[in-house]
Amino acid sequence: MHVVSLIGEQPIPCLMILRFLKPKGFTLVCSDFTRGVAQRLKKIVKANEKFLIEVSPYQLGEIRQEIFTHVRNLTDKEVTFDLTGGTKVMAFAAYDVARSLRASAYYLRSQRENVLFKYTFSKTGVIEERLDVSPDLFTLHDYLSVYLDEFKITGPCKSSPGREFEIAVREAMESTVDEIEAGVRGVGGQLDLDLAFRLGNLVGVAEVKTGKKGDEKDALEQLKSATNPKFLGTFTKPFLIIDHAWGPKQRNLQELAEAWDITVIELPSYREKGNISREDWEKLRSKISEILKGG
């Protein structure tokens, strides 16, 4: 099988479909704007044949002709299409090629749950199937690699009391998530996160702050920046985890977190007792699980 995938800003749906189908070869159709995304995907996904085609994203006729010609020249004649990414014009063009060749096509819906739709073209029309995707199609390292050219895992912060709280939070989360790493640093210093973690096919990032640092705007701004399409993308769920409860004085921060879709988890037992209580431990685990399972 050879998969022709349309590449948009967010590479995760494409990565998931390629990992799910396990083709012998694939072609990534990108624009000049998404060339970097396509190059990173091409690097990490294994296959015998890998191609990259760059098209003008809004020239329907040109896109169709380039895809059609490329597919005709492939040695593998079992070709299928991933229509999830790219521009709508790219999707129209690829759809028309798939229909004319009576090939199959896929589309991944990933807003709240990962559902893969398969469309098969025949003489009588289109046959639609819904497929459930497995929950472990990529690793945390894969996820970071398709968004970032270079990054380092540096471990917990070095200074107290932040280091101890960060370690306590990580230990509390380990049995809830599939993978977790402390200290994700983008080369060049543009990205600096305390925690990154994966549960199934969803990823979260967190800033973990104690004392006054938990009442500053900086942590929220860092999370907002991290989930920008330029860095870790809109599929990444941001969390701010603090060792105390916000009150009326932090109302402006609460409103900002809500506006930026950042989940704030308060663990006041740590400041009071120096450890995370059973109640706060359950709060942390349940909230992380709820958000990363599409809640």
Side-chain angles (χ1 to χ4, degrees):
M1 177 192 292
H2 190 99
V3 177
V4 177
S5 294
L6 308 180
I7 306 302
E9 284 187 79
Q10 304 305 313
I12 291 303
C14 175
L15 174 62
M16 290 174 64
I17 290 176
L18 288 173
R19 287 282 172 80
F20 180 79
L21 295 176
K22 299 182 177 67
K24 292 181 180 179
F26 62 83
T27 298
L28 306 179
V29 183
C30 66
S31 67
D32 59 346
F33 185 70
T34 59
R35 186 190 307 118
V37 175
Q39 289 171 338
R40 289 190 292 271
L41 272 168
K42 185 180 177 184
K43 183 178 179 180
I44 72 166
V45 179
K46 295 180 180 179
N48 294 335
E49 288 187 315
K50 304 180 185 182
F51 301 99
L52 192 152
I53 299 176
E54 188 173 319
V55 299
S56 298
Y58 301 104
Q59 301 298 317
L60 179 61
E62 291 181 17
I63 299 168
R64 187 196 184 285
Q65 187 59 47
E66 288 198 48
I67 294 175
F68 185 82
T69 301
H70 175 74
V71 169
R72 282 298 196 190
N73 290 329
L74 291 171
T75 55
D76 190 339
K77 299 307 178 184
E78 184 188 355
V79 179
T80 191
F81 293 79
D82 166 20
L83 306 178
T84 312
T87 63
K88 289 183 174 64
V89 176
M90 290 166 66
F92 290 150
Y95 175 92
D96 193 55
V97 174
R99 182 185 57 79
S100 67
L101 297 176
R102 291 182 186 164
S104 58
Y106 292 84
Y107 182 88
L108 181 67
R109 188 183 72 192
S110 53
Q111 288 90 346
R112 284 188 170 271
E113 57 180 343
N114 293 316
V115 179
L116 185 61
F117 293 89
K118 179 181 180 181
Y119 306 99
T120 304
F121 298 94
S122 67
K123 292 180 180 179
T124 56
V126 181
I127 301 169
E128 179 184 310
E129 298 177 65
R130 287 169 58 107
L131 306 172
D132 292 324
V133 297
S134 57
D136 55 354
L137 291 173
F138 55 82
T139 65
L140 183 58
H141 188 274
D142 289 335
Y143 191 95
L144 296 172
S145 296
V146 296
Y147 281 107
L148 304 172
D149 288 316
E150 294 183 82
F151 65 91
K152 296 187 294 184
I153 304 297
T154 59
C157 69
K158 307 302 180 186
S159 59
S160 296
R163 176 180 175 83
E164 289 76 17
F165 183 49
E166 193 175 307
I167 291 172
V169 168
R170 177 180 175 175
E171 289 176 350
M173 290 175 58
E174 281 179 341
S175 60
T176 299
V177 298
D178 296 316
E179 293 182 86
I180 186 167
E181 293 285 0
V184 178
R185 310 286 183 257
V187 173
Q190 293 178 303
L191 187 72
D192 186 349
L193 293 165
D194 293 332
L195 294 176
F197 40 92
R198 178 184 65 84
L199 178 59
N201 290 321
L202 289 172
V203 167
V205 294
E207 285 290 273
V208 182
K209 302 301 177 187
T210 60
K212 292 182 179 179
K213 288 187 177 181
D215 296 335
E216 295 174 355
K217 187 180 176 183
D218 290 355
L220 295 176
E221 289 179 333
Q222 178 75 317
L223 290 166
K224 183 176 185 292
S225 175
T227 53
N228 184 287
K230 182 180 178 182
F231 291 114
L232 295 181
T234 55
F235 284 87
T236 310
K237 305 296 184 182
F239 297 82
L240 174 62
I241 303 171
I242 55 177
D243 70 342
H244 57 284
W246 276 350
K249 290 183 179 180
Q250 289 79 37
R251 182 59 190 165
N252 61 326
L253 294 176
Q254 291 174 333
E255 292 174 351
L256 199 58
E258 290 172 6
W260 290 347
D261 201 23
I262 296 170
T263 301
V264 179
I265 303 177
E266 302 163 333
L267 307 176
S269 62
Y270 188 86
R271 177 182 285 190
E272 296 167 3
K273 302 176 182 178
N275 57 65
I276 300 174
S277 68
R278 170 61 63 175
E279 181 181 354
D280 279 354
W281 185 73
E282 289 293 348
K283 181 203 301 183
L284 174 65
R285 285 163 48 90
S286 64
K287 199 64 180 177
I288 294 291
S289 181
E290 174 193 340
I291 299 299
L292 292 188
K293 286 183 177 178

